[in-house]
Amino acid sequence: METNNSFDVTYVAELARIELNDADKARLQQDMQAIVGYIEQLNEVDVSGIEPTAHAVTLTNVTREDRAGKSVPRETMLANAPATVNDDELIKVPQVLPGEGMA
Amino acid sequence: MSIDIKNLSVSSAAELLNSGKISAVELCNAFIARIDAIDNQIKAFLKLDRAEIISAAEAADQRHSTGNQLSEFDGIPIAIKDCIVAEGQTCSCASKLLENVVAPYDSTVVAKLRAKGFIPMGRVNMDEFAMGSTCENSAFQKTANPWDTERVPGGSSGGSAASVAASEVPAALGSDTGGSIRQPASFCGCVGLKPTYGRISRYGLVAFASSLDQIGPLTHSVLDAAILLDTIGGHDKRDSTSLPDACEGFAAAVRAVAGKDLTGIKIGLPKEYFSAEGLEPSIKAITDAAIATCKKLGAEIVEVSLPHTKYAISAYYIIATAEASANLARFDGIRYGARAPESKDLVDSYFKSRGAGFGDEVKRRILLGTYVLSSGYYDAYYLKAQKVRTLIRRDFENAAKECNIILTPVAPSVAFKFGEKSDPLQMYLADIFTIALNLAGNCGISVPAAIEPDSGMPVGIQLIAPTLQEKTLLEVAAIFEANREQSEFAANL
């Protein structure tokens, strides 16, 4: 399906924080253009005066008693971390701010 | 004693266990032996911890011997789709990004299964993050259809359906966001139930599209589906979308209709579904034969209309991908999962981990979801799709005024061969009969109806009921099951 929609894979992948190489981009641009071309059929539906449905159930303001419950031990949670420091006490992350590399 | 586990159902396994004919250890060992013998052909299982299963079975036998069994199902194994967490087991969603992540807690459904003595048995394959209709989007392996190993099992709960159809387990849990339980059930000749949205807690289900996702069982029989709905359903304070309504008595209702017919039931046929583009003549013929069976059983058949059917796929793929793009934003390789080894800073690490960790289909859906939510497009796509969702929901409400149950095909064709379908848009279009239900939130079930003569593959029909009408849904499904022309559906493997 050939359409002229404005889908720009480089821009959208940037928003979605997904790195793509040039071959990925070329392939996905084509796929996405066809898919976006298809969903544009919604333009023909008259929805004036129709309320949007965000959810299949309409429960609102579900609350619970404000009391502390059991939580998962830190060592169990941190066992899944890709990198840790301080004897597995903290998650190690890549440098957050630009500048000199830290030791 | 040696036991025949071919198509052994949950209810039959329970009888064997409770009459003392077999022990839970014997039962579990028989299924493990079956997996060890054939799963190299089927590849349904991503992980199987044999020692943990046997030790749980030993505990069940201990309880049986002292009369303290947790329920009549104490010691029965059940396979779990790899997006539903079980404490201490990996939960990868068939994605490289989550390959070695170990779940720190039980999902509510797994906790409820354990409370009745069911034994979670392995992690079964799926399309990555439940995105796909063939299981080919798994990052790890391609699951084969037990009826013909050159064909796909369907998806995304393909591992669940294949493991049941191959008699590797008596039953499995799957999840259904747009047909991911019902379509593989149809492709593999088993029963697949998508309950009403909110019936079953989503706590511990890795979210794909939160307003559409629902957990459900894949089984050999309608009775088993009812047993599992009784077991895993009901209100959960850990899921704010969980409905307060009681969720029990379904197995008893199914047992009570044994020998009954469909007198007094009105079955609606949505005309838009039967004229849908792409519906194979053989599937239409099988569906027509199923309708004739229902008519013979005393059901009144009426034509109904779901006028917005042609917009369901567009609305679904906008809403589902928008929600997915938000849900999957958490997978960044920082707190858990696979982090790209080389990156210059935090943001670069997100890009590289997500670029390397997600497969193509997941990328397409995140891109589509990001696009429809992005500045300038939100109203045109997302808001519009939500309004169309209202129209689709009203279609079902209006149809429900004219019938108790809607009967439709599940998928336009039998299970396709590996690689036969590769165009992503064409694949989306094949979801036409299953996705509207997720948008509307009501319940549906796929029940095997016949074998397609040319391919020898099973074909299911879909029955649909209004919100919270699972009792009628399961009763009608059970009566159909007991009276369909083809009585047994057993894969030749």
Side-chain angles (χ1 to χ4, degrees):
Chain A
M1 198 184 305
E2 284 298 321
T3 61
N4 294 316
N5 58 68
S6 59
F7 190 91
D8 173 0
V9 72
T10 305
Y11 172 68
V12 180
E14 189 79 15
L15 293 177
R17 297 192 160 175
I18 295 175
E19 185 177 81
L20 299 175
N21 61 34
D22 288 345
D24 289 341
K25 279 184 190 169
R27 194 178 62 251
L28 290 169
Q29 175 70 36
Q30 212 171 15
D31 291 347
M32 299 311 298
Q33 215 142 315
I35 294 166
V36 172
Y38 179 80
I39 64 172
E40 278 176 348
Q41 66 153 210
L42 287 194
N43 289 335
E44 57 188 75
V45 193
D46 179 10
V47 291
S48 45
I50 304 292
E51 286 293 307
T53 296
H55 236 266
V57 292
T58 45
L59 299 170
T60 47
N61 295 340
V62 178
T63 57
R64 63 166 173 81
E65 216 182 325
D66 186 14
R67 212 167 56 192
K70 225 173 65 178
S71 62
V72 179
R74 177 160 65 180
E75 49 274 29
T76 310
M77 294 305 284
L78 266 74
N80 280 317
T84 55
V85 288
N86 265 19
D87 294 329
D88 293 341
E89 237 190 358
L90 302 167
I91 296 170
K92 185 179 177 186
V93 301
Q95 186 173 343
V96 177
L97 298 172
E100 288 287 301
M102 290 182 294
Chain B
M1 73 177 251
S2 88
I3 43 170
D4 182 11
I5 54 166
K6 182 96 183 173
N7 272 19
L8 184 70
S9 64
V10 170
S11 57
S12 304
E15 278 171 31
L16 292 172
L17 274 175
N18 296 312
S19 63
K21 289 196 179 118
I22 54 160
S23 67
V25 169
E26 286 169 325
L27 182 69
C28 289
N29 268 329
F31 282 111
I32 290 172
R34 173 82 177 153
I35 294 167
D36 288 338
I38 61 156
D39 204 55
N40 59 349
Q41 295 172 63
I42 302 300
K43 295 189 170 66
F45 283 82
L46 292 171
K47 288 276 166 61
L48 185 69
D49 186 338
R50 293 164 183 78
E52 190 187 330
I53 292 160
I54 294 307
S55 117
E58 284 167 352
D61 283 334
Q62 186 65 33
R63 291 189 292 268
H64 275 286
S65 70
T66 53
N68 292 317
Q69 55 268 38
L70 297 170
S71 78
E72 57 183 306
F73 311 110
D74 200 351
I76 296 179
I78 178 165
I80 309 292
K81 187 178 182 181
D82 201 33
C83 55
I84 301 170
V85 302
E87 186 178 348
Q89 298 183 15
T90 52
C91 181
S92 75
C93 297
S95 178
K96 277 193 282 186
L97 195 63
L98 299 181
E99 184 165 6
N100 296 310
V101 173
V102 176
Y105 62 94
D106 266 347
S107 52
T108 296
V109 289
V110 167
K112 287 190 171 205
L113 286 171
R114 289 196 215 266
K116 295 274 182 205
F118 283 98
I119 300 173
M121 181 145 161
R123 311 289 306 167
V124 282
N125 199 26
M126 54 189 283
D127 286 296
E128 184 180 6
F129 288 107
M131 297 174 181
S133 317
T134 64
C135 246
E136 291 169 293
N137 295 332
S138 166
F140 304 120
Q141 60 199 32
K142 287 188 180 16
T143 297
N145 192 310
W147 291 74
D148 175 354
T149 52
E150 287 179 13
R151 291 176 190 268
V152 302
S156 66
S157 308
S160 306
S163 65
V164 172
S167 300
E168 295 179 315
V169 279
L173 288 192
S175 63
D176 191 314
T177 304
S180 281
I181 289 174
R182 290 159 285 153
Q183 182 256 26
S186 177
F187 279 10
C188 291
C190 40
V191 172
L193 171 67
K194 190 215 81 89
T196 299
Y197 182 84
R199 266 287 195 205
I200 296 178
S201 170
R202 293 182 293 109
Y203 179 73
L205 168 68
V206 177
F208 158 15
S210 307
S211 80
L212 305 163
D213 298 339
Q214 191 62 193
I215 294 171
L218 291 104
T219 57
H220 288 299
S221 69
V222 174
L223 174 59
D224 280 5
I227 287 169
L228 285 165
L229 181 60
D230 283 341
T231 305
I232 63 175
H235 180 71
D236 179 15
K237 63 177 182 186
R238 290 193 169 95
D239 174 359
S240 65
T241 60
S242 159
L243 295 169
D245 307 71
C247 186
E248 57 197 17
F250 297 111
V254 166
R255 287 197 169 100
V257 295
K260 295 209 170 135
D261 65 15
L262 294 174
T263 305
I265 296 290
K266 259 189 180 180
I267 294 180
L269 308 177
K271 59 179 184 196
E272 294 81 4
Y273 282 44
F274 289 86
S275 57
E277 212 180 305
L279 175 60
E280 299 266 347
S282 63
I283 305 295
K284 184 162 187 309
I286 285 169
T287 313
D288 285 342
I291 295 163
T293 301
C294 293
K295 201 170 177 181
K296 223 160 54 187
L297 287 163
E300 187 187 339
I301 309 291
V302 294
E303 185 182 270
V304 295
S305 176
L306 299 169
H308 295 91
T309 296
K310 71 179 278 207
Y311 303 112
I313 290 173
S314 293
Y316 173 86
Y317 276 93
I318 291 169
I319 291 167
T321 61
E323 293 184 17
S325 72
N327 278 325
L328 272 63
R330 77 191 63 171
F331 301 122
D332 55 12
I334 297 298
R335 291 150 300 150
Y336 51 84
R339 187 186 296 176
E342 301 281 332
S343 59
K344 54 181 200 289
D345 57 31
L346 186 70
V347 173
D348 187 47
S349 171
Y350 297 153
F351 274 96
K352 289 198 160 67
S353 300
R354 290 162 63 79
F358 290 136
D360 262 6
E361 183 57 29
V362 175
K363 284 176 181 156
R364 275 191 287 270
R365 299 210 193 183
I366 292 175
L367 291 174
L368 182 60
T370 304
Y371 176 71
V372 299
L373 291 177
S374 64
S375 174
Y377 295 101
Y378 182 92
D379 285 0
Y381 292 114
Y382 186 64
L383 191 63
K384 184 95 186 235
Q386 287 188 312
K387 290 178 177 174
V388 173
R389 184 176 186 178
T390 303
L391 295 171
I392 288 167
R393 204 188 64 211
R394 284 187 193 164
D395 283 355
F396 279 99
E397 285 165 4
N398 290 333
K401 290 174 191 153
E402 290 162 52
C403 61
N404 313 98
I405 292 285
I406 291 173
L407 190 158
T408 77
V410 181
S413 70
V414 296
F416 14 94
K417 297 200 165 155
F418 285 106
E420 190 181 319
K421 281 197 179 187
S422 55
D423 177 57
L425 180 58
Q426 290 310 313
M427 200 75 101
Y428 297 173
L429 299 182
D431 296 342
I432 177 75
F433 303 128
T434 48
I435 55 174
L437 219 69
N438 299 75
L439 291 168
N442 48 346
C443 52
I445 191 168
S446 170
V447 185
I451 308 283
E452 190 200 50
D454 288 353
S455 61
M457 297 301 291
V459 176
I461 52 156
Q462 176 173 241
L463 301 171
I464 299 169
T467 298
L468 293 173
Q469 300 295 311
E470 276 87 351
K471 182 167 173 285
T472 311
L473 181 73
L474 290 162
E475 286 170 347
V476 171
I479 293 168
F480 172 76
E481 181 185 48
N483 293 282
R484 64 193 171 195
E485 275 175 37
Q486 171 97 18
S487 60
E488 289 296 313
F489 286 80
N492 218 352
L493 185 92

